[in-house]
Amino acid sequence: MVLHARHLKIKRFNPEKDTKPWWGEYDVEVQPTDRVLDALHEVKWHHDGSLTLRRSCAHGICGSDAMRINGHNALACKVLVKEYKGTITIEPLLGFKVLKDLIVDMDPFFAKYRSVMPYFVNDEAPPERERLQLPEQRDRFDDTTKCILCAACTTSCPVFWSDTEYVGPAAIVQAHRFIFDSRDQGKEQRLEILNEKSGVWKCRTIFNCTEACPRGIEVTRAIGEVKQELLLRRF
Amino acid sequence: MIHTIDALVVGAGGAGLYAALELSKRGVPVAVLSKMYPTRSHTGTAQGGICAALGNLEEDHWEWHMFDTIKGGDYLVDQDAAEILAREAITTIYELEHMGLPFNRTPDGRLDQRFFGGHTRPDPQDPAKRIPVHRACYAADRTGHMILQTLYQQCIKHAVNFYNEFHVLDLIVKDGVCAGVVAVEVRTGELHRFHAKAVLFATGGFGKIFSVTSNAHSLTGDGVAIAYRRGVPMMDMEFFQFHPTGIYQKGILLSEAARSEGAYLVNGKGERFMERYAPQLKELAPRDMISRSIVQEIRAGRGGDGKDYVFLDVRHLGKAVIDAKLPDIMDFVRVYMSRDPLTDLIPIEPTAHYAMGGIPTDNDARVILDSQRTPLHGFYAAGECACVSVHGANRLGTNSLVDILVFGRRAGIDMARYCADRDGVGWTELPAHPEDDTRGAITRIVNGQGGENAGNIRKQMQTEMTQKCGVFRGKDDLRSARDTISELKERYDRLSIQDKSKGFNTDLLEAMELGWLLDIAETTVLGALAREESRGGHAREDFPKRDDAHWLKHTLAYHTEDGVVLQYKPVTITTYEPQERKY
């Protein structure tokens, strides 16, 4: 096992004792194929136990450890240290209140998610077996079913940074997943919600969200498809 | 703060959310407590599929699913429970589809199904032989993600009350009746008392006792160990599943779905070695058998590149199949191994994956305390933390998802009945100061001056467990592991932590979790040392044969003042007499 020394610069803030954020600097020994999360654990478990972050699955599925790494949003468990040259700089996500170190307040994020009716609606009595859906109908919304609600997209959006009323890319992705599901009947209500001034029209097609998505979802395209659907409704 | 809520669900994975949904549909006031946000739960990482004998592609019957489950579990399965699992899998799948779950489809729009290890049907050419059956419904290789998302969405629709980032630290029991839990609000550090009629633990597994594991950092066996310290035994802890295809050294899971779609396992000489170990099912044999075969290949000097791994080979599947049916796991290969699965072999090794054991329950998820099936009234467990036992000595692929949903739902239904029944009896009173034990434990850790580091103790425990209590076990190794764990437990009492703050003190909470893991590692090793036979996931090199005459029984490990005490409980056999297990 070959270990390499790496320098980490981590933005720290504990409201119980700090009046403003500060930079913690740490030298850790890691393997090049280690995840940035492994390097953070090396700090927490062997240098400074007070470093605080959220994490769970450690392979890019649970969505807990989205953060800013060298200025770009990423899941700390889905990027390897060898992808970065020199110092690795780690900060909490932008746009939400920092609660401690790399932990931000996710409640407003989930409130926006809840605002778009993020659940299947079909009030007809279901058949005894499955409802039918052709593979091409299923493919129509496949991309947006991948969302893990990590908030990397929403917190990379300059519109969201300056206007927290905006429902944000993640919530629109979730709405898209149902709007284009042939079995769902809540489309009109969801479109109505996204047509409001906090909705899709705030998007300036900047593509930061698509770049930030660790699941490779074409977020900007999904937002565009919802806009298109709203425009079609006018005729 | 004190909360009073009829039904509490601890854990927000598949079992917890399904129970909460059933409770809420029945009008029972319910709250879900999760130490994370619900969508972070480990159900979301399940990849390959969920089995139910729908027969959409070919003839299939729930009885065949039941038989496969029992044989797969090396006859340690309680057969009445396996019958419920196989029957209710079918209704559960339809319910999920009706909730909107985006399953993959057949060309005519029905639910598509794929092969999975150990799931079989009789060969029409030769009914004595069994061949793979298309039984696993799936959503690409993110079936668990879609199940977790769908159930969480439905909980929002049904206005289920969530306490996110509330970490449960104790179970309140008064006069043999469960009366609630103590939890810390992670954000503030405040202790909360939840007074309830019924409590469900759906807290997941504990793969973090091992160093190479597919399990999340959060899988620390909280519920199992908390119940244990309150007198509930741990059942069948020596049975832990090692999944054959973990990413080398990282343990990240590469789903069996790869082999369902036709991937090969090859050794350093390029041989498909499973042809020798399981001539009929080959790469689709059960996981315990494949993991042992891999270790045997490596020990015989036939590892890949002369090292301690073998290869998963998906190159012949082609880009179209990989993109459509295995996108996530191929992404893992690219990200974590910097290899291209279309052109490169993928180094894999067995990874600690799933706990067959856990909190003993009956078929309605009610926790039972002994071989007489004495209940702990008002206390329920479901999902990986529970042991019904539908998995026996080895779980078949996809049956974990079936288990969490079938028994999560049954838990919710029975808790609703129990809460209504308790209306006549009244609420169980809380003891005078139910938080005192928890507050004491926290104070001891926060003020600890012994200088021991939790990270070091954890790492040593994990390494010891992977090296000495892994795919193959032997008496000397197990004795040595027992001594190490006992020494680590002593060191744990001299722990010091650095973070002294109230809010988000994950230094403290990780230390609490480590305490639970040590209890679990201990019962796992002691159960394995006592069980002098090989069965399913428990392979003793010094006792290589299954021994039904002495060991066709479940283990119960109790926490007592004199240390761990092992007792045993009979296996329920209804339909299938134990036979030699060949594939």
Side-chain angles (χ1 to χ4, degrees):
Chain A
M1 194 177 3
V2 189
L3 290 176
H4 291 253
R6 294 300 304 255
H7 188 69
L8 301 184
K9 198 174 151 192
I10 306 171
K11 200 173 208 177
R12 304 289 309 267
F13 176 66
N14 179 352
E16 292 177 33
K17 52 185 199 182
D18 302 325
T19 49
K20 57 178 201 290
W22 53 280
W23 290 100
E25 309 221 9
Y26 310 89
D27 290 301
V28 292
E29 300 256 298
V30 291
Q31 295 183 65
T33 53
D34 277 344
R35 295 158 275 210
V36 170
L37 177 64
D38 298 317
L40 288 167
H41 274 149
E42 187 61 24
V43 173
K44 182 169 180 62
W45 294 340
H46 301 289
H47 295 257
D48 183 354
S50 72
L51 174 66
T52 305
L53 64 147
R54 293 190 180 103
R55 86 288 182 265
S56 186
C57 81
H59 64 284
I61 300 296
C62 79
S64 299
D65 62 351
M67 50 190 76
R68 264 166 87 81
I69 305 173
N70 281 5
H72 294 279
N73 284 0
L75 300 176
C77 64
K78 227 189 159 185
V79 284
L80 306 184
V81 292
K82 70 177 180 186
E83 291 164 33
Y84 301 94
K85 303 265 176 277
T87 299
I88 305 175
T89 304
I90 301 165
E91 304 163 80
L93 294 173
L94 292 177
F96 291 119
K97 187 181 172 196
V98 177
L99 300 178
K100 187 177 177 185
D101 293 346
L102 300 171
I103 291 185
V104 298
D105 185 2
M106 291 291 281
D107 286 347
F109 176 79
F110 279 99
K112 287 176 191 302
Y113 162 72
R114 283 170 175 256
S115 75
V116 299
M117 298 171 64
Y119 42 78
F120 186 71
V121 177
N122 185 325
D123 295 331
E124 289 170 16
E128 211 165 284
R129 296 177 65 103
E130 66 268 52
R131 290 191 173 95
L132 297 181
Q133 182 172 54
L134 296 172
E136 51 271 30
Q137 292 174 315
R138 163 71 180 70
D139 285 347
R140 182 67 192 83
F141 63 101
D142 182 70
D143 200 35
T144 44
T145 65
K146 294 174 187 162
C147 174
I148 56 174
L149 295 164
C150 69
C153 59
T154 296
T155 58
S156 72
C157 173
V159 176
F160 176 76
W161 294 338
S162 59
D163 179 359
T164 51
E165 285 295 298
Y166 177 34
V167 69
I172 301 171
V173 162
Q174 289 291 333
H176 178 284
R177 174 255 171 274
F178 292 104
I179 288 169
F180 294 96
D181 185 337
S182 56
R183 303 166 298 169
D184 184 87
Q185 298 176 339
K187 179 176 178 176
E188 290 305 315
Q189 280 169 280
R190 277 189 210 96
L191 286 172
E192 211 52 61
I193 294 166
L194 293 176
N195 200 23
E196 286 170 17
K197 67 180 188 345
S198 58
V200 284
W201 305 113
K202 288 218 186 269
C203 166
R204 293 286 175 271
T205 329
I206 299 162
F207 282 93
N208 275 16
C209 50
T210 300
E211 268 175 49
C213 179
R215 302 282 292 147
I217 300 170
E218 293 186 77
V219 181
T220 316
R221 181 195 176 117
I223 298 171
E225 287 176 353
V226 174
K227 289 178 182 169
Q228 200 69 39
E229 204 64 21
L230 277 165
L231 288 172
L232 284 172
R233 247 180 15 145
R234 297 195 180 162
F235 303 102
Chain B
M1 194 186 261
I2 301 171
H3 311 259
T4 306
I5 300 161
D6 289 52
L8 291 180
V9 172
V10 181
L17 294 181
Y18 219 131
L21 208 49
E22 291 296 333
L23 282 156
S24 122
K25 283 182 187 166
R26 285 166 174 72
V28 180
V30 54
V32 179
L33 281 65
S34 171
K35 66 177 176 178
M36 304 176 289
Y37 277 85
T39 56
R40 312 308 184 208
S41 304
H42 203 56
T43 295
T45 64
Q47 298 166 2
I50 174 164
C51 273
L54 308 183
N56 276 6
L57 275 75
E58 63 217 347
E59 186 183 357
D60 198 5
H61 303 279
W62 67 261
E63 291 90 342
W64 295 355
H65 185 185
M66 174 186 171
F67 171 73
D68 288 336
T69 299
I70 293 163
K71 182 181 172 187
D74 220 349
Y75 294 91
L76 195 73
V77 171
D78 286 317
Q79 299 191 2
D80 54 337
E83 176 173 342
I84 290 169
L85 180 94
R87 277 177 182 270
E88 297 187 7
I90 297 168
T91 40
T92 303
I93 292 287
Y94 292 137
E95 261 192 45
L96 288 175
E97 198 284 326
H98 298 157
M99 292 178 198
L101 197 140
F103 284 114
N104 279 44
R105 300 285 172 156
T106 61
D108 59 353
R110 292 172 307 133
L111 301 184
D112 196 12
Q113 298 189 280
R114 59 166 46 139
F115 291 144
F116 238 83
H119 290 277
T120 66
R121 63 187 173 116
D123 184 350
Q125 315 298 325
D126 174 6
K129 272 177 133 181
R130 297 190 79 90
I131 56 174
V133 64
H134 292 89
R135 186 179 288 153
C137 303
Y138 63 100
D141 54 357
R142 54 178 186 280
T143 311
H145 166 75
M146 295 319 323
I147 288 173
L148 183 66
Q149 294 285 326
T150 301
L151 290 174
Y152 183 55
Q153 292 156 2
Q154 291 295 308
C155 283
I156 291 174
K157 190 177 179 183
H158 288 89
V160 169
N161 195 10
F162 283 92
Y163 288 82
N164 299 329
E165 299 192 316
F166 273 66
H167 198 153
V168 169
L169 303 178
D170 202 2
L171 180 73
I172 306 173
V173 180
K174 175 101 187 294
D175 304 328
V177 182
C178 175
V181 300
V182 175
V184 62
E185 182 179 3
V186 178
R187 184 170 179 162
T188 61
E190 186 191 350
L191 285 183
H192 291 246
R193 183 190 302 181
F194 288 85
H195 189 191
K197 291 178 182 169
V199 173
L200 171 68
F201 271 12
T203 55
F206 38 83
K208 280 289 157 186
I209 57 174
F210 295 101
S211 61
V212 177
T213 175
S214 63
N215 283 200
H217 287 287
S218 55
L219 290 180
T220 49
D222 308 10
V224 179
I226 288 169
Y228 174 71
R229 292 178 183 188
R230 291 286 168 205
V232 178
M234 297 193 200
M235 175 166 158
D236 287 345
M237 298 300 282
E238 61 270 37
F239 296 103
F240 207 95
Q241 177 165 87
F242 296 88
H243 192 293
T245 53
I247 288 181
Y248 180 57
Q249 290 183 329
K250 285 206 160 63
I252 296 169
L253 189 69
L254 297 177
S255 169
E256 200 164 309
R259 283 170 283 134
S260 309
E261 299 298 338
Y264 303 141
L265 290 169
V266 295
N267 62 19
K269 296 168 78 178
E271 298 165 338
R272 279 181 69 189
F273 55 89
M274 282 313 298
E275 289 173 344
R276 280 186 273 120
Y277 298 92
Q280 286 179 31
L281 293 186
K282 301 182 185 76
E283 279 90 350
L284 290 174
R287 293 172 178 173
D288 59 329
M289 200 168 260
I290 300 185
S291 286
R292 283 195 295 276
S293 307
I294 290 171
V295 173
Q296 282 171 281
E297 288 298 301
I298 292 167
R299 286 182 177 179
R302 294 192 290 271
D305 310 319
K307 295 190 181 156
D308 54 344
Y309 49 77
V310 296
F311 297 112
L312 182 70
D313 185 0
V314 301
R315 294 172 300 180
H316 55 288
L317 300 184
K319 192 171 184 309
V321 167
I322 286 176
D323 287 350
K325 294 187 167 179
L326 308 167
D328 276 6
I329 63 174
M330 294 310 139
D331 186 39
F332 299 154
V333 174
R334 293 183 183 108
V335 171
Y336 298 109
M337 312 192 83
S338 308
R339 292 191 184 220
D340 180 357
L342 287 171
T343 54
D344 303 332
L345 291 167
I346 308 163
I348 53 105
E349 66 174 330
T351 180
H353 183 56
Y354 183 85
M356 270 72 77
I359 304 171
T361 72
D362 70 9
N363 293 337
D364 288 309
R366 291 177 290 212
V367 173
I368 50 176
L369 296 170
D370 50 35
S371 59
Q372 312 303 308
R373 306 179 81 78
T374 309
L376 173 48
H377 294 290
F379 186 38
Y380 293 74
E384 190 172 343
C385 74
C387 184
V388 182
S389 156
V390 286
H391 307 305
N394 171 63
R395 172 174 72 72
L396 287 191
T398 84
N399 270 357
S400 55
L401 291 177
V402 186
D403 175 12
I404 61 174
L405 301 177
V406 165
F407 290 96
R409 181 174 54 186
R410 291 177 81 89
I413 293 169
D414 201 72
M415 287 167 80
R417 177 201 60 75
Y418 179 84
C419 286
D421 287 356
R422 292 301 287 184
D423 281 344
V425 188
W427 288 57
T428 303
E429 260 184 60
L430 290 176
H433 302 289
E435 303 91 351
D436 279 1
D437 288 349
T438 307
R439 191 166 282 124
I442 289 174
T443 308
R444 270 196 306 283
I445 294 175
V446 172
N447 296 337
Q449 300 291 331
E452 287 287 352
N453 169 286
N456 293 339
I457 296 176
R458 188 191 305 112
K459 193 171 180 182
Q460 207 175 327
M461 169 193 69
Q462 292 170 338
T463 307
E464 188 79 357
M465 291 299 287
T466 289
Q467 283 175 359
K468 297 180 182 163
C469 197
V471 174
F472 284 104
R473 291 126 184 227
K475 183 174 282 170
D476 295 343
D477 271 353
L478 289 169
R479 282 183 173 162
S480 154
R482 177 192 61 191
D483 297 344
T484 305
I485 301 295
S486 139
E487 181 209 316
L488 291 174
K489 288 187 84 159
E490 281 170 29
R491 283 172 54 193
Y492 179 81
D493 290 336
R494 300 192 298 275
L495 209 60
S496 295
I497 60 169
Q498 288 164 285
D499 195 345
K500 309 289 181 189
S501 47
K502 298 274 285 172
F504 284 106
N505 191 339
T506 54
D507 205 13
L508 167 68
L509 292 171
E510 286 187 6
M512 303 281 285
E513 291 173 334
L514 175 61
W516 295 322
L517 285 171
L518 284 165
D519 277 359
I520 287 168
E522 183 178 41
T523 56
T524 302
V525 168
L526 293 176
L529 188 57
R531 185 174 284 271
E532 297 189 330
E533 65 156 354
S534 288
R535 183 189 295 274
H538 172 66
R540 284 284 298 257
E541 291 178 286
D542 40 356
F543 298 95
K545 290 256 187 301
R546 196 176 81 196
D547 178 2
D548 286 341
H550 298 98
W551 289 103
L552 186 58
K553 56 187 180 184
H554 299 291
T555 309
L556 297 174
Y558 291 85
H559 176 67
T560 75
E561 281 182 9
D562 305 322
V564 181
V565 170
L566 299 181
Q567 293 183 17
Y568 294 90
K569 174 164 115 53
V571 176
T572 305
I573 293 174
T574 59
T575 316
Y576 301 103
E577 280 304 314
Q579 299 166 5
E580 194 193 348
R581 184 164 165 255
K582 280 196 280 194
Y583 287 96

